Amino acid sequence: MPVIFFDIGATLADVRTGPDGSLVLRPLPRVMAVLDALHEVRQGIISNPGPSEDDVRRVAAALHTAFPGRFSDGALLHWGVKDGRGIFDRAVASTGETAPDACVFVGEDAQERAFARDAGMRTAAHPVFALAATQNRAVLRARVALPDGRDLSELTTAMNETEAVVVQTVSERLALAMVTTEGAQALERAGFTVEPRGPVDATETFPSAQGRPAAQDCSRRRRDPAGDTVPGTTANGEKDPAVGGAGEQGSDAERRAAERFVTDLLRRGEAVFEGEEPTARTTHVVRREDDGRLTVRRLRFH
C-alpha cells in the first residue's frame, strides 16, 4: 500500500493569517476531492512551518481545522526544512515497512521533489497527480489550444473532470498545463488541441497557476517560472518557433512522452502519418522530423 506525503502551502492550501494572529489554511481547488478519492491510502505531511515549536503548533492546529479527520497519523507528520533528502528519508522510515518507491511526495517546488526522488520516493507536482504517481504514470507539460467558439471556462470545466491542471493562461486561445496521457486524451475528446511536451520534472521549477510567485510551505521562498523548450508544434500545426537549442534535441524521456501521446492517437485511429489518406476519424496528422522526432498537427475537431 502506498503512502502519500503532501506539502501544505501552495500545494494543499493557501496560508493566511487570521485577525487573532492564528494561521488559516484554505484548501485549494480540487484538493478535497483528491483527498476523498485517496481516502484508503495512508496520507502524511512534509512541510516547513518555520523554525520554532510554536510555528509547528500553529500550523498543525490550522491543518486539523482545515482538514478535519485527515492526517491523523502523527507519525506521518514531518515538520522542517526541505533543503536536502534528510526529511524525506525520515518520512520514508516513519512508514514502517513501506519501500521508498511506494512513497509519494506531492509538492509544487521542483527542487524539493528532486530531493524526494534522491530519497527514492516518487513525486507529483500537484495533488491531482498523486494517484498517477502511485501508479508510476508520467505527468507531462503541455500546450492546450482552444478552438473557435470555446472559452477558458469550458477548458477549466474539462480539466476539472480529468487528470489535467492549468499552469498558466497565455491568452484566450492558449493555456499551459500539466496532464497525464489519460488527461490529454480526455481533453482531445472534449475538442481541445493538446501538444505534449516533456515530463514535468524535466524542468527546473514549476510556475504557479496564474504565473505569479507564491508562498511555498508556510514560509515564503523565491520561485522562478519554468522554461518551455521541449519539441512540439504550434496550435495551427506549424513548427514551434520557440523550439531550439537543447530543447530541439530533447531528452530521451521527453521524446518517449511525446511519442507515447502520438502512439495513442494512432492506436485509436485518430491520426495518420503525413502522406497517408485521412479517414473519417482522423483528427491529427503525424510527421517524423529529420532528427527522428514526431510532431503532430491538428487536422480537424470531432
Side-chain angles (χ1 to χ4, degrees):
M1 176 70 70
V3 181
I4 303 176
F5 293 92
F6 294 90
D7 186 18
I8 296 179
T11 296
L12 282 182
D14 281 331
V15 182
R16 309 285 179 87
T17 302
D20 60 353
S22 63
L23 283 183
V24 177
L25 301 182
R26 296 184 179 179
L28 291 170
R30 305 180 67 181
V31 163
M32 299 305 288
V34 167
L35 296 180
D36 286 342
L38 297 171
H39 69 279
E40 294 184 354
V41 180
R42 296 173 68 195
Q43 299 172 17
I45 294 292
I46 303 176
S47 193
N48 181 15
S52 72
E53 288 298 321
D54 186 56
D55 291 328
V56 173
R57 285 192 292 270
R58 292 173 68 216
V59 173
L63 177 71
H64 294 305
T65 298
F67 301 95
R70 308 177 192 270
F71 307 110
S72 57
D73 188 343
L76 299 181
L77 303 182
H78 296 270
W79 310 108
V81 295
K82 290 168 282 182
D83 56 357
R85 61 177 287 177
I87 193 170
F88 300 101
D89 285 325
R90 293 192 293 274
V92 170
S94 72
T95 65
E97 299 296 323
T98 306
D101 66 356
C103 297
V104 173
F105 171 65
V106 182
E108 84 294 339
D109 186 277
Q111 183 60 70
E112 294 174 356
R113 297 198 302 274
F115 291 140
R117 290 193 298 276
D118 287 343
M121 302 176 74
R122 297 178 183 177
T123 59
H126 191 285
V128 165
F129 305 114
L131 178 62
T134 67
Q135 298 170 345
N136 205 26
R137 292 188 285 116
V139 179
L140 311 175
R141 294 173 294 124
R143 292 188 179 191
V144 181
L146 285 71
D148 292 337
R150 306 293 295 274
D151 60 31
L152 291 170
S153 65
E154 293 177 90
L155 175 61
T156 299
T157 298
M159 286 197 170
N160 286 344
E161 295 175 353
T162 189
E163 292 177 327
V165 174
V166 172
V167 173
Q168 184 176 0
T169 300
V170 178
S171 70
E172 293 181 355
R173 298 291 304 279
L174 180 65
L176 303 182
M178 298 185 295
V179 297
T180 61
T181 298
E182 290 82 350
Q185 292 169 354
L187 293 178
E188 288 277 351
R189 290 193 295 271
F192 301 96
T193 299
V194 181
E195 300 168 1
R197 306 280 161 142
V200 166
D201 282 313
T203 61
E204 293 182 355
T205 50
F206 171 66
S208 62
Q210 287 75 37
R212 299 190 302 268
Q216 300 166 343
D217 282 328
C218 299
S219 57
R220 300 188 68 85
R221 291 191 295 278
R222 185 177 61 84
R223 175 182 299 168
D224 301 315
D228 189 18
T229 57
V230 183
T233 56
T234 62
N236 63 8
E238 298 174 354
K239 186 175 179 182
D240 191 338
V243 173
E248 187 168 303
Q249 296 173 11
S251 68
D252 288 342
E254 291 167 342
R255 178 172 296 184
R256 287 196 301 271
E259 291 196 356
R260 183 164 56 249
F261 177 77
V262 172
T263 298
D264 286 338
L265 288 174
L266 293 167
R267 176 177 53 79
R268 297 198 306 271
E270 297 173 7
V272 296
F273 280 96
E274 191 173 52
E276 295 180 349
E277 186 69 24
T279 70
R281 296 185 60 194
T282 301
T283 57
H284 295 75
V285 173
V286 179
R287 177 180 178 180
R288 187 174 292 278
E289 304 292 341
D290 292 341
D291 63 359
R293 290 182 303 115
L294 292 179
T295 57
V296 61
R297 63 182 174 86
R298 167 70 82 163
L299 183 65
R300 61 171 174 263
F301 293 95
H302 284 304

